[in-house]
Amino acid sequence: MPHTSLLAVDLALLLPPLLTHSVTKLNRRLKPPPEGFLFDLDHLPHLTLAQQFVRETDLEALNSIIEQRIQRHLPLHLQTTHLSSPRTACTLGVTLSPELMTFHRQLMTDLLPFVVTTNIHNAVWANPDTPRPADIEWVSKFRQNFAFENFEPHVTLGIGSIETFVEPEHFVATTVALCHLGRFCTCRRVLKTWELKG
């Protein structure tokens, strides 16, 4: 791993077992590596709450801020919606409940002091992945283009498209994870987890 003080990270909701099983079956219908990715123990299906570049030296303080936000937060009751392929990836939408929107906004505000916008092309991604230019651009512009009023919660299923109907699925999200990002902005190495217990 090249020496650098920057990490590409994703603060995400991890999925419960039944939904993980459902999305893994859909993922297997999409492009395998190297054109795509497969869900496994090192590629975790997730719902992104925030993405950004952070300094490794800030991780302890960042984790402390997240923990303060999460320690009294209730689990999130959510529902999937439909499949779409807005760009190169196939995604499964998730209803944007008021509780999810508030949680997202709070975390984005909490993480603002830790945003790094310079020297991002030298940031470390999960080994041995090499990010695509599109990955670097997505993370660098997440706050500007995909957060707050532009937040569209979803689970990225893989690269390609699937033309099928999926039944909406209710689920309860209880695990928040700070993950080291890999190619295709996949959640690879888990840096820290927290449980929503209320």
Side-chain angles (χ1 to χ4, degrees):
M1 183 184 300
H3 177 72
T4 178
S5 61
L6 300 186
L7 296 177
V9 299
D10 191 316
L11 185 62
L13 291 170
L14 299 186
L15 308 183
L18 284 177
L19 184 56
T20 295
H21 179 71
S22 299
V23 301
T24 298
K25 289 201 299 184
L26 292 168
N27 166 260
R28 293 301 187 265
R29 298 170 61 178
L30 295 162
K31 293 181 181 179
E35 291 83 13
F37 60 89
L38 298 177
F39 288 143
D40 55 27
L41 294 178
D42 294 317
H43 296 81
L44 304 175
H46 63 279
L47 188 162
T48 292
L49 296 167
Q51 287 181 352
Q52 65 187 57
F53 294 100
V54 301
R55 294 181 180 86
E56 290 178 276
T57 52
D58 284 342
L59 281 181
E60 186 175 344
L62 183 149
N63 288 341
S64 178
I65 290 292
I66 296 170
E67 186 161 340
Q68 289 177 44
R69 174 66 60 192
I70 285 173
Q71 62 186 353
R72 290 182 298 275
H73 203 286
L74 293 170
L76 290 162
H77 293 258
L78 303 171
Q79 179 177 306
T80 62
T81 58
H82 59 275
L83 299 179
S84 62
S85 301
R87 297 177 180 82
T88 60
C90 180
T91 65
L92 176 62
V94 174
T95 300
L96 181 56
S97 67
E99 293 80 11
L100 179 57
M101 185 60 172
T102 297
F103 193 43
H104 161 72
R105 285 182 175 273
Q106 289 172 336
L107 290 169
M108 289 297 299
T109 300
D110 292 340
L111 295 179
L112 180 58
F114 303 100
V115 171
V116 178
T117 58
T118 58
N119 206 31
I120 59 175
H121 289 273
N122 293 323
V124 174
W125 295 66
N127 204 25
D129 284 352
T130 301
R132 304 169 302 157
D135 299 331
I136 297 171
E137 182 177 17
W138 185 278
V139 176
S140 68
K141 294 185 177 179
F142 184 87
R143 182 172 291 270
Q144 172 186 339
N145 293 348
F146 309 112
F148 299 106
E149 66 274 5
N150 297 322
F151 182 51
E152 296 182 1
H154 63 272
V155 178
T156 299
L157 299 175
I159 305 303
S161 62
I162 302 172
E163 299 297 329
T164 191
F165 172 77
V166 293
E167 287 284 350
E169 190 170 340
H170 291 274
F171 66 100
V172 180
T174 60
T175 303
V176 178
L178 183 69
C179 299
H180 197 181
L181 284 171
R183 188 174 175 84
F184 301 111
C185 291
T186 49
C187 276
R188 298 291 311 277
R189 182 166 62 101
V190 175
L191 303 172
K192 181 79 173 179
T193 61
W194 301 265
E195 294 300 315
L196 301 177
K197 297 179 180 179

